[in-house]
Amino acid sequence: MKLQDILKWGINPDQPRFLKRKVYQANITGLILTFFVSLPFTLISTRSLMPIIKLPIAGIFLSVLSVLLNRFGMIYISRIIISLVPITLSSVVGAYIVEAGNPPMTGLSMLSLAFLFIPFIVFDIREKGYLFACAGICIAMILGFDFLNSIFEIDLDRTELAKGNLTRIAVLISVVFAVGIILTLLIENRHSEEISLKYINESKEIAKKMEESEHKAKENLKEIEAVRQNEKRQQWAVQGLAEVTELLRGHYGLRDLCDKIIAFVVDYMQANQGTMYLLEAGDTEKDSVLNLYATYAYNRKKFEEGKITPGQGLVGQAFIEKEVIHLKEIPQNYVKITSGLGEATPNSIIIVPMIFNEQVEGIIEIASFNEFDEYQIEFVKKLGESIASSLKDIKINESNKELLEQARQQEEEMKAQEEEMRQNMEELAATQEEMIRKEKLYLKQIEDLQNKLELVK
């Protein structure tokens, strides 16, 4: 068995760090008391203090017992023994040696004072009950020397004591004990510093890892937040497209539909003003015209009329280039946002061509005091594609309705003409019958006149 293993008796992983340190110091103190205090006193007693040899032998036994008690987990009893037995035995030995009424021996007094610090070595301030109790008893033992001296009396040959050898040996033992304890404390302090340094390094490493984990967590949170924002924007766009699709499915006229769409888009994007132009195709692109179908501002419809030719202004430019125009610096007097408080220039304008099958069917222009984000612009682009597809069908349907209405009117006109012709034919037939009747009547009258003439002849 190694010495290091003995010094660790009584220490287990579940104990607090301070308690492990104090048990370790208690084992060292017990061994020092055994080999450097009790054993030397036992050897000295065999020569000049044989009547009290039992006391240093008891010191050896109790010192070894304290270490063994730690081995079996009785760490508090062990440390109480280590704290009280040395000073008790040294005080009793001093009381036996010194004649009643005389002051204590200098060497034994020094040894008692050295033993006074044992409770502070084996107990921590957090164990103040044990610490102060043992320290108080030790102080009482020192202060109560006269009382002990009066109790413990024995006949001794003090010839050897008078030479001062015992005093010198006691001083030496006290110095050795003190040095041993100091060295033990220094070694333990160095060990504690190494452990503390290890813990500090581990703490720094843990702090570094925590900082990295925190940074990673923040990055993950940013990614999660970005994903959440992206999902929120996608949901916002999908919901907006769904509502516009529902409007497109409604049974509205083209102008009413444009009014409802531009009003919805302005409100949904929390913008301030919007206009919608639809293409009136001509025989050539130069003959085509963008007609202003709807304008919406501050929850009010603005009734305006206007026509823009391809290439004219920003709207005409967007039509020609088939690209979104995003203005953050608005030209002077380009457009004003009006309200009950007056007029103001917007801070951002987007002009979005509504494209279907690579053909521009119209233009949406949105003005706002707030900057438009990319996802909002992308939303209006997709919205323009959906609207263009539906408007194409609506325009075809309206054109078909106009053709059907013209055909119906032409059919009604033809029916009216047929009815008029039928009535004319009937009147003509009636006139012909009347003429035939009158002709027959005239012929009969002529025949009658001819017969009368023949009779007269």
Side-chain angles (χ1 to χ4, degrees):
M1 183 179 293
K2 296 180 180 180
L3 177 62
Q4 192 64 28
D5 295 332
I6 296 174
L7 295 179
K8 291 181 179 179
W9 282 356
I11 297 174
N12 62 69
D14 297 331
Q15 292 172 340
R17 185 185 169 198
F18 79 89
L19 188 57
K20 293 178 182 178
R21 187 176 68 254
K22 291 301 178 181
V23 172
Y24 185 84
Q25 291 173 353
N27 288 328
I28 294 176
T29 305
L31 294 177
I32 291 175
L33 289 171
T34 301
F35 294 102
F36 296 101
V37 179
S38 299
L39 184 60
F41 259 100
T42 302
L43 296 176
I44 293 170
S45 298
T46 58
R47 293 187 60 185
S48 57
L49 298 172
M50 196 64 184
I52 59 171
I53 194 171
K54 294 180 180 179
L55 293 176
I57 291 175
I60 294 174
F61 172 76
L62 292 173
S63 298
V64 173
L65 178 63
S66 67
V67 178
L68 291 174
L69 288 176
N70 278 337
R71 175 71 176 82
F72 295 102
M74 291 180 280
I75 58 177
Y76 290 99
I77 296 175
S78 168
R79 289 182 290 163
I80 290 172
I81 291 174
I82 292 175
S83 298
L84 300 181
V85 167
I87 198 167
T88 300
L89 292 178
S90 67
S91 298
V92 172
V93 168
Y96 273 125
I97 292 175
V98 178
E99 292 180 338
N102 292 330
M105 292 180 61
T106 303
L108 291 176
S109 297
M110 290 180 63
L111 195 58
S112 296
L113 288 174
F115 291 155
L116 179 61
F117 291 97
I118 292 178
F120 298 94
I121 295 171
V122 299
F123 286 108
D124 190 84
I125 190 64
R126 280 164 282 195
E127 302 172 295
K128 55 186 177 182
Y130 293 101
L131 174 61
F132 293 144
C134 291
I137 293 172
C138 291
I139 293 171
M141 294 295 295
I142 293 173
L143 296 177
F145 175 79
D146 292 337
F147 174 74
L148 294 174
N149 186 237
S150 65
I151 295 176
F152 299 104
E153 292 184 2
I154 192 171
D155 292 332
L156 289 174
D157 183 4
R158 294 181 170 81
T159 305
E160 290 294 329
L161 296 176
K163 296 179 180 180
N165 292 330
L166 181 62
T167 299
R168 286 189 286 271
I169 292 172
V171 171
L172 178 63
I173 291 173
S174 63
V175 171
V176 170
F177 177 77
V179 170
I181 293 297
I182 291 172
L183 289 175
T184 300
L185 292 176
L186 289 174
I187 293 170
E188 181 60 22
N189 185 57
R190 181 180 177 183
H191 180 66
S192 298
E193 286 180 356
E194 290 176 354
I195 294 175
S196 299
L197 183 61
K198 178 183 176 183
Y199 286 151
I200 289 171
N201 291 333
E202 289 178 354
S203 299
K204 288 180 178 178
E205 195 67 28
I206 292 171
K208 183 178 179 181
K209 290 181 179 179
M210 288 180 65
E211 185 177 353
E212 291 175 355
S213 298
E214 184 180 359
H215 179 71
K216 188 174 181 181
K218 287 181 178 179
E219 291 295 325
N220 290 336
L221 284 174
K222 287 181 180 179
E223 291 178 3
I224 292 171
E225 181 64 20
V227 171
R228 191 182 69 83
Q229 288 293 335
N230 189 42
E231 289 178 351
K232 185 177 179 181
R233 290 168 179 174
Q234 288 180 355
Q235 184 179 2
W236 176 83
V238 169
Q239 182 179 347
L241 288 170
E243 293 191 30
V244 170
T245 301
E246 193 64 28
L247 286 174
L248 293 170
R249 289 176 181 172
H251 301 287
Y252 306 108
L254 189 56
R255 286 193 176 274
D256 287 340
L257 179 61
C258 292
D259 284 338
K260 291 182 181 298
I261 289 175
I262 197 64
F264 169 78
V265 173
V266 170
D267 289 338
Y268 196 70
M269 294 183 65
Q270 296 181 350
N272 303 101
Q273 184 169 291
T275 56
M276 182 183 290
Y277 298 86
L278 297 186
L279 177 66
E280 182 182 329
D283 296 334
T284 63
E285 185 175 308
K286 293 182 178 180
D287 297 330
S288 299
V289 174
L290 290 167
N291 285 326
L292 179 62
Y293 262 67
T295 300
Y296 191 82
Y298 277 104
N299 297 323
R300 299 180 306 168
K301 177 184 175 185
K302 295 178 64 179
F303 294 95
E304 297 182 3
E305 294 183 359
K307 292 184 178 182
I308 296 177
T309 57
Q312 178 185 355
L314 293 174
V315 173
Q317 182 182 343
F319 175 83
I320 293 294
E321 295 178 356
K322 299 181 182 179
E323 294 290 340
V324 175
I325 296 177
H326 184 196
L327 296 178
K328 295 182 180 179
E329 295 182 1
I330 313 304
Q332 188 69 24
N333 298 324
Y334 174 74
V335 68
K336 297 290 185 182
I337 294 177
T338 58
S339 69
L341 300 176
E343 294 183 343
T345 302
N347 294 322
S348 185
I349 293 176
I350 53 173
I351 303 170
V352 182
M354 298 185 291
I355 302 174
F356 178 70
N357 286 339
E358 298 184 358
Q359 175 63 43
V360 179
E361 299 294 334
I363 299 289
I364 293 178
E365 183 181 35
I366 307 293
S368 176
F369 289 126
N370 301 318
E371 292 288 340
F372 290 111
D373 292 325
E374 286 298 323
Y375 77 93
Q376 292 178 306
I377 298 173
E378 192 63 29
F379 165 70
V380 181
K381 285 176 65 177
K382 291 181 179 179
L383 195 66
E385 293 173 3
S386 178
I387 295 171
S389 174
S390 298
L391 289 180
K392 184 75 172 178
D393 294 336
I394 292 171
K395 289 167 74 175
I396 292 172
N397 291 336
E398 287 203 346
S399 178
N400 291 337
K401 284 181 181 179
E402 290 179 0
L403 292 174
L404 288 172
E405 183 64 24
Q406 290 177 3
R408 188 185 63 78
Q409 290 178 357
Q410 290 176 358
E411 184 181 358
E412 288 179 356
E413 289 176 359
M414 289 179 66
K415 285 182 179 179
Q417 291 176 358
E418 288 178 359
E419 180 64 22
E420 185 178 355
M421 289 178 66
R422 187 184 63 77
Q423 291 177 358
N424 291 336
M425 291 294 292
E426 288 179 353
E427 291 178 358
L428 182 60
T431 302
Q432 288 178 346
E433 289 178 357
E434 181 65 23
M435 290 176 66
I436 292 171
R437 187 184 64 79
K438 288 183 178 181
E439 182 180 0
K440 288 180 179 180
L441 180 61
Y442 291 150
L443 290 173
K444 186 179 180 188
Q445 288 178 353
I446 292 170
E447 185 180 352
D448 290 342
L449 287 174
Q450 288 177 352
N451 289 332
K452 288 179 180 181
L453 289 172
E454 288 179 359
L455 289 174
V456 171
K457 290 178 177 179

